[in-house]
Amino acid sequence: MSAAPKISVYLITLNEGRYLEEVLSSVRGADEIVIVDSGSHDDSLTIAERHGARVIHQEWLGYAAQKSFALEQCTHDWVLNLDGDEVLPAGAIEQLRELAASNQADGYWLKRDDWWFGGKLPGAKRYKFCRFYRKNKAYWDVTQHVHEHIRIDGTTQKTNITMKHYGYDTVHGYMAKLNSYSDLKARVRTERNRPVSMLRLLLIYPLMFLKFYLLRGMVFSGWRGFVKAHIDAFHFFLTEAKLYEQRYRCKHGEK
């Protein structure tokens, strides 16, 4: 075991004040907190300064590019990336420090509990994300417009650390995010010259609903799971609808 390494935590923010206090409290003990903000007008910056974060203003570059910029501002060898609505469990920072000191891997995966209507979704699939890694082994693929992922040039391992994620907690907030994501996904499909499929437009909603409700375990969360499975399926339908709209307008001479 080598000496315990120092850890930088980095976040990108825009009006994350609702949960930021809890998020930053959960990383107490980290050696540095870097926040790259793209123009918050709530109390995000006040909260960040209260927790001793180094705040840097950067106009929005896109998800991957913004996170890449934030990563470059970190000064320590090991870095942890969180969203402004993700909370670590008690003791996670010290656990991560021990993992880094062990030199067993270059990156580590954390699980995430998505909160919905103020609580967990029992039985629903927990997704994992590589959030803790050596800075010099990691990079963001800035060509990805949506669902960006860090790339690790080395070995990775899973952990038993599970974050609490508030970002999907309300129908209004979740639908706003999915509407934005569907714009980006439609843009990617257009840039890759993928044709509009009427069969996909017809079938995507029922098939994705069954996937989320049955295969992803939302059936075990009662009516809350039923509602979320419908919204997740609609997200996929919305992407296809936007692609169809583009084709229809182009065919009829509209831009």
PDB file of all heavy atoms in Angstrom, residues 143-146 183-194:
ATOM      1  N   THR A 143     -16.770  14.256 -28.684  1.00  0.00           N
ATOM      2  CA  THR A 143     -17.647  14.125 -29.853  1.00  0.00           C
ATOM      3  C   THR A 143     -19.023  13.608 -29.452  1.00  0.00           C
ATOM      4  O   THR A 143     -19.948  13.631 -30.268  1.00  0.00           O
ATOM      5  CB  THR A 143     -17.035  13.177 -30.895  1.00  0.00           C
ATOM      6  OG1 THR A 143     -16.952  11.842 -30.355  1.00  0.00           O
ATOM      7  CG2 THR A 143     -15.639  13.643 -31.298  1.00  0.00           C
ATOM      8  N   GLN A 144     -19.173  13.142 -28.208  1.00  0.00           N
ATOM      9  CA  GLN A 144     -20.451  12.626 -27.745  1.00  0.00           C
ATOM     10  C   GLN A 144     -21.316  13.780 -27.242  1.00  0.00           C
ATOM     11  O   GLN A 144     -20.941  14.486 -26.313  1.00  0.00           O
ATOM     12  CB  GLN A 144     -20.241  11.612 -26.617  1.00  0.00           C
ATOM     13  CG  GLN A 144     -19.522  10.350 -27.041  1.00  0.00           C
ATOM     14  CD  GLN A 144     -20.361   9.509 -27.993  1.00  0.00           C
ATOM     15  OE1 GLN A 144     -21.558   9.373 -27.831  1.00  0.00           O
ATOM     16  NE2 GLN A 144     -19.708   8.963 -29.007  1.00  0.00           N
ATOM     17  N   HIS A 145     -22.481  13.961 -27.841  1.00  0.00           N
ATOM     18  CA  HIS A 145     -23.358  15.061 -27.451  1.00  0.00           C
ATOM     19  C   HIS A 145     -24.245  14.705 -26.258  1.00  0.00           C
ATOM     20  O   HIS A 145     -24.709  15.590 -25.539  1.00  0.00           O
ATOM     21  CB  HIS A 145     -24.252  15.461 -28.629  1.00  0.00           C
ATOM     22  CG  HIS A 145     -23.493  15.937 -29.825  1.00  0.00           C
ATOM     23  ND1 HIS A 145     -22.555  16.948 -29.764  1.00  0.00           N
ATOM     24  CD2 HIS A 145     -23.509  15.517 -31.123  1.00  0.00           C
ATOM     25  CE1 HIS A 145     -22.047  17.154 -30.970  1.00  0.00           C
ATOM     26  NE2 HIS A 145     -22.603  16.302 -31.804  1.00  0.00           N
ATOM     27  N   VAL A 146     -24.524  13.415 -26.061  1.00  0.00           N
ATOM     28  CA  VAL A 146     -25.433  12.997 -24.997  1.00  0.00           C
ATOM     29  C   VAL A 146     -24.989  11.640 -24.471  1.00  0.00           C
ATOM     30  O   VAL A 146     -24.328  10.874 -25.180  1.00  0.00           O
ATOM     31  CB  VAL A 146     -26.883  12.929 -25.525  1.00  0.00           C
ATOM     32  CG1 VAL A 146     -27.034  11.848 -26.571  1.00  0.00           C
ATOM     33  CG2 VAL A 146     -27.890  12.746 -24.385  1.00  0.00           C
ATOM     34  N   ASP A 183     -33.520  15.859 -27.994  1.00  0.00           N
ATOM     35  CA  ASP A 183     -32.979  16.778 -28.999  1.00  0.00           C
ATOM     36  C   ASP A 183     -31.566  16.371 -29.393  1.00  0.00           C
ATOM     37  O   ASP A 183     -31.216  16.318 -30.582  1.00  0.00           O
ATOM     38  CB  ASP A 183     -32.948  18.211 -28.453  1.00  0.00           C
ATOM     39  CG  ASP A 183     -34.303  18.888 -28.471  1.00  0.00           C
ATOM     40  OD1 ASP A 183     -35.209  18.414 -29.183  1.00  0.00           O
ATOM     41  OD2 ASP A 183     -34.460  19.898 -27.762  1.00  0.00           O
ATOM     42  N   LEU A 184     -30.749  16.087 -28.383  1.00  0.00           N
ATOM     43  CA  LEU A 184     -29.353  15.731 -28.638  1.00  0.00           C
ATOM     44  C   LEU A 184     -29.243  14.387 -29.354  1.00  0.00           C
ATOM     45  O   LEU A 184     -28.421  14.215 -30.260  1.00  0.00           O
ATOM     46  CB  LEU A 184     -28.577  15.708 -27.321  1.00  0.00           C
ATOM     47  CG  LEU A 184     -28.443  17.059 -26.609  1.00  0.00           C
ATOM     48  CD1 LEU A 184     -27.820  16.879 -25.231  1.00  0.00           C
ATOM     49  CD2 LEU A 184     -27.609  18.016 -27.436  1.00  0.00           C
ATOM     50  N   LYS A 185     -30.060  13.420 -28.944  1.00  0.00           N
ATOM     51  CA  LYS A 185     -30.026  12.111 -29.598  1.00  0.00           C
ATOM     52  C   LYS A 185     -30.472  12.211 -31.043  1.00  0.00           C
ATOM     53  O   LYS A 185     -29.887  11.565 -31.939  1.00  0.00           O
ATOM     54  CB  LYS A 185     -30.914  11.125 -28.831  1.00  0.00           C
ATOM     55  CG  LYS A 185     -30.336  10.683 -27.500  1.00  0.00           C
ATOM     56  CD  LYS A 185     -31.290   9.791 -26.741  1.00  0.00           C
ATOM     57  CE  LYS A 185     -31.474   8.457 -27.411  1.00  0.00           C
ATOM     58  NZ  LYS A 185     -32.333   7.551 -26.590  1.00  0.00           N
ATOM     59  N   ALA A 186     -31.488  13.026 -31.311  1.00  0.00           N
ATOM     60  CA  ALA A 186     -31.926  13.217 -32.698  1.00  0.00           C
ATOM     61  C   ALA A 186     -30.829  13.881 -33.516  1.00  0.00           C
ATOM     62  O   ALA A 186     -30.617  13.539 -34.692  1.00  0.00           O
ATOM     63  CB  ALA A 186     -33.196  14.063 -32.721  1.00  0.00           C
ATOM     64  N   ARG A 187     -30.115  14.802 -32.894  1.00  0.00           N
ATOM     65  CA  ARG A 187     -28.999  15.462 -33.583  1.00  0.00           C
ATOM     66  C   ARG A 187     -27.915  14.460 -33.952  1.00  0.00           C
ATOM     67  O   ARG A 187     -27.384  14.479 -35.071  1.00  0.00           O
ATOM     68  CB  ARG A 187     -28.429  16.565 -32.677  1.00  0.00           C
ATOM     69  CG  ARG A 187     -27.193  17.257 -33.220  1.00  0.00           C
ATOM     70  CD  ARG A 187     -26.688  18.277 -32.218  1.00  0.00           C
ATOM     71  NE  ARG A 187     -25.368  18.748 -32.561  1.00  0.00           N
ATOM     72  CZ  ARG A 187     -24.623  19.542 -31.783  1.00  0.00           C
ATOM     73  NH1 ARG A 187     -25.119  19.953 -30.620  1.00  0.00           N
ATOM     74  NH2 ARG A 187     -23.422  19.921 -32.153  1.00  0.00           N
ATOM     75  N   VAL A 188     -27.580  13.576 -33.010  1.00  0.00           N
ATOM     76  CA  VAL A 188     -26.557  12.552 -33.281  1.00  0.00           C
ATOM     77  C   VAL A 188     -26.999  11.643 -34.424  1.00  0.00           C
ATOM     78  O   VAL A 188     -26.216  11.328 -35.336  1.00  0.00           O
ATOM     79  CB  VAL A 188     -26.280  11.729 -32.009  1.00  0.00           C
ATOM     80  CG1 VAL A 188     -25.415  10.511 -32.335  1.00  0.00           C
ATOM     81  CG2 VAL A 188     -25.605  12.600 -30.954  1.00  0.00           C
ATOM     82  N   ARG A 189     -28.253  11.213 -34.394  1.00  0.00           N
ATOM     83  CA  ARG A 189     -28.765  10.338 -35.456  1.00  0.00           C
ATOM     84  C   ARG A 189     -28.708  11.039 -36.813  1.00  0.00           C
ATOM     85  O   ARG A 189     -28.376  10.420 -37.834  1.00  0.00           O
ATOM     86  CB  ARG A 189     -30.209   9.930 -35.137  1.00  0.00           C
ATOM     87  CG  ARG A 189     -30.370   9.038 -33.917  1.00  0.00           C
ATOM     88  CD  ARG A 189     -30.348   7.554 -34.286  1.00  0.00           C
ATOM     89  NE  ARG A 189     -31.432   7.216 -35.156  1.00  0.00           N
ATOM     90  CZ  ARG A 189     -32.673   6.928 -34.766  1.00  0.00           C
ATOM     91  NH1 ARG A 189     -32.977   6.985 -33.472  1.00  0.00           N
ATOM     92  NH2 ARG A 189     -33.601   6.595 -35.640  1.00  0.00           N
ATOM     93  N   THR A 190     -29.021  12.316 -36.827  1.00  0.00           N
ATOM     94  CA  THR A 190     -28.983  13.080 -38.080  1.00  0.00           C
ATOM     95  C   THR A 190     -27.555  13.203 -38.592  1.00  0.00           C
ATOM     96  O   THR A 190     -27.285  13.015 -39.793  1.00  0.00           O
ATOM     97  CB  THR A 190     -29.592  14.476 -37.880  1.00  0.00           C
ATOM     98  OG1 THR A 190     -30.955  14.335 -37.464  1.00  0.00           O
ATOM     99  CG2 THR A 190     -29.539  15.289 -39.171  1.00  0.00           C
ATOM    100  N   GLU A 191     -26.606  13.514 -37.684  1.00  0.00           N
ATOM    101  CA  GLU A 191     -25.201  13.655 -38.078  1.00  0.00           C
ATOM    102  C   GLU A 191     -24.630  12.351 -38.617  1.00  0.00           C
ATOM    103  O   GLU A 191     -23.731  12.364 -39.461  1.00  0.00           O
ATOM    104  CB  GLU A 191     -24.379  14.142 -36.882  1.00  0.00           C
ATOM    105  CG  GLU A 191     -24.665  15.588 -36.493  1.00  0.00           C
ATOM    106  CD  GLU A 191     -23.903  16.007 -35.257  1.00  0.00           C
ATOM    107  OE1 GLU A 191     -23.291  15.123 -34.605  1.00  0.00           O
ATOM    108  OE2 GLU A 191     -23.914  17.211 -34.938  1.00  0.00           O
ATOM    109  N   ARG A 192     -25.147  11.241 -38.145  1.00  0.00           N
ATOM    110  CA  ARG A 192     -24.665   9.934 -38.607  1.00  0.00           C
ATOM    111  C   ARG A 192     -25.450   9.406 -39.802  1.00  0.00           C
ATOM    112  O   ARG A 192     -25.241   8.271 -40.233  1.00  0.00           O
ATOM    113  CB  ARG A 192     -24.736   8.927 -37.450  1.00  0.00           C
ATOM    114  CG  ARG A 192     -23.792   9.264 -36.305  1.00  0.00           C
ATOM    115  CD  ARG A 192     -23.935   8.311 -35.134  1.00  0.00           C
ATOM    116  NE  ARG A 192     -23.008   8.655 -34.060  1.00  0.00           N
ATOM    117  CZ  ARG A 192     -22.976   8.045 -32.879  1.00  0.00           C
ATOM    118  NH1 ARG A 192     -23.829   7.067 -32.615  1.00  0.00           N
ATOM    119  NH2 ARG A 192     -22.108   8.425 -31.949  1.00  0.00           N
ATOM    120  N   ASN A 193     -26.345  10.256 -40.316  1.00  0.00           N
ATOM    121  CA  ASN A 193     -27.133   9.914 -41.508  1.00  0.00           C
ATOM    122  C   ASN A 193     -27.937   8.630 -41.342  1.00  0.00           C
ATOM    123  O   ASN A 193     -28.093   7.852 -42.300  1.00  0.00           O
ATOM    124  CB  ASN A 193     -26.229   9.801 -42.747  1.00  0.00           C
ATOM    125  CG  ASN A 193     -25.600  11.128 -43.120  1.00  0.00           C
ATOM    126  OD1 ASN A 193     -26.282  12.151 -43.130  1.00  0.00           O
ATOM    127  ND2 ASN A 193     -24.312  11.110 -43.411  1.00  0.00           N
ATOM    128  N   ARG A 194     -28.443   8.408 -40.135  1.00  0.00           N
ATOM    129  CA  ARG A 194     -29.272   7.230 -39.913  1.00  0.00           C
ATOM    130  C   ARG A 194     -30.692   7.549 -40.354  1.00  0.00           C
ATOM    131  O   ARG A 194     -31.268   8.565 -39.936  1.00  0.00           O
ATOM    132  CB  ARG A 194     -29.243   6.832 -38.439  1.00  0.00           C
ATOM    133  CG  ARG A 194     -27.873   6.331 -37.992  1.00  0.00           C
ATOM    134  CD  ARG A 194     -27.878   5.884 -36.554  1.00  0.00           C
ATOM    135  NE  ARG A 194     -28.803   4.789 -36.317  1.00  0.00           N
ATOM    136  CZ  ARG A 194     -28.968   4.212 -35.128  1.00  0.00           C
ATOM    137  NH1 ARG A 194     -28.262   4.633 -34.097  1.00  0.00           N
ATOM    138  NH2 ARG A 194     -29.827   3.242 -34.973  1.00  0.00           N
TER     139      ARG A 194
END
